[in-house]
């Protein structure tokens, strides 16, 4: 640094600083142009199309980067949306799994009840078969018969 009053940002040109800030904004907003969008310093200098050494001389911008990462974490808006979707799907899956378990238990109970009714029915049929006599007694009509 040539001047004692110079800021650390003065170590890069205004054009480079603007490029780094624009790249930082694009990465934070989840709309990268030249990288995969992960919030890494490597992606920052690649997104800005400057060298790593040049980026490392932009102390004020790196301080802003670090502050943002500390406050907001390393997840991009797309990653946050993806994580929220995954959490929602996990919650829905848990609910559906519980419903399936409940229905399976009801099905098992119905199966047991049907089996018990079947066996009772079979026992009643066997009892009827044993108690049937071979003689059939005709039913008499009451009252006088009318002729035709």
């Amino acid at each position: 640094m040539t001047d004692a009053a110079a800021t650390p940002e003065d170590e890069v040109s205004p054009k480079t600083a603007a490029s780094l800030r624009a790249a930082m904004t694009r990465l934070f907003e989840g709309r990268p142009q030249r990288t995969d969008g992960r919030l890494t310093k490597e992606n920052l200098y690649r997104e800005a199309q400057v060298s790593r050494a040049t980026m490392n001389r932009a102390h004020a911008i790196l301080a802003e980067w670090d502050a943002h990462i500390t406050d907001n974490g390393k997840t991009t808006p797309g990653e946050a949306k993806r994580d929220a979707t995954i959490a929602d799907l996990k919650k829905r899956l848990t609910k559906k799994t519980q419903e399936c378990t409940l229905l399976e238990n009801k099905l098992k109970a119905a199966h047991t009840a049907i089996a018990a009714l079947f066996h009772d029915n079979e026992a009643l049929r066997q009892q009827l078969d044993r108690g049937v006599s071979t003689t059939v007694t005709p039913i008499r009509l009451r009252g006088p018969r009318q002729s035709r």
Side-chain angles (χ1 to χ4, degrees):
M1 295 201 307
T2 56
D3 186 4
T7 63
E9 188 174 329
D10 291 338
E11 293 182 35
V12 294
S13 70
K15 181 180 175 185
T16 300
S19 177
L20 282 165
R21 286 189 194 285
M24 186 167 53
T25 300
R26 284 194 307 273
L27 287 172
F28 288 157
E29 292 176 354
R31 43 181 191 84
Q33 295 175 349
R34 298 173 183 89
T35 63
D36 62 5
R38 290 180 299 128
L39 298 181
T40 63
K41 288 183 181 175
E42 180 179 355
N43 279 351
L44 177 60
Y45 73 80
R46 288 185 181 191
E47 189 72 27
Q49 292 184 309
V50 299
S51 70
R52 182 170 189 94
T54 300
M55 177 194 69
N56 286 337
R57 287 193 307 269
H59 301 288
I61 293 172
L62 289 178
E64 289 176 32
W65 175 271
D66 291 338
H68 183 275
I69 296 299
T70 300
D71 293 342
N72 301 303
K74 283 193 164 196
T75 56
T76 63
E79 290 171 334
K81 183 178 178 183
R82 179 203 63 205
D83 293 346
T85 301
I86 289 171
D88 179 55
L89 289 172
K90 283 182 178 181
K91 188 186 305 180
R92 289 173 48 196
L93 178 62
T94 300
K95 182 178 177 184
K96 292 297 180 187
T97 302
Q98 289 171 346
E99 288 175 13
C100 286
T101 302
L102 177 65
L103 289 173
E104 187 176 351
N105 290 339
K106 286 182 178 182
L107 183 63
K108 285 179 183 177
H111 175 73
T112 303
I114 290 169
L117 290 171
F118 174 78
H119 290 297
D120 288 348
N121 194 16
E122 286 297 309
L124 288 172
R125 285 178 195 262
Q126 289 174 2
Q127 185 179 1
L128 280 175
D129 288 343
R130 282 190 302 258
V132 173
S133 65
T134 53
T135 24
V136 177
T137 310
I139 301 175
R140 287 193 217 172
L141 296 173
R142 295 187 182 190
R145 288 181 100 178
Q146 297 179 1
S147 60
R148 292 183 188 189

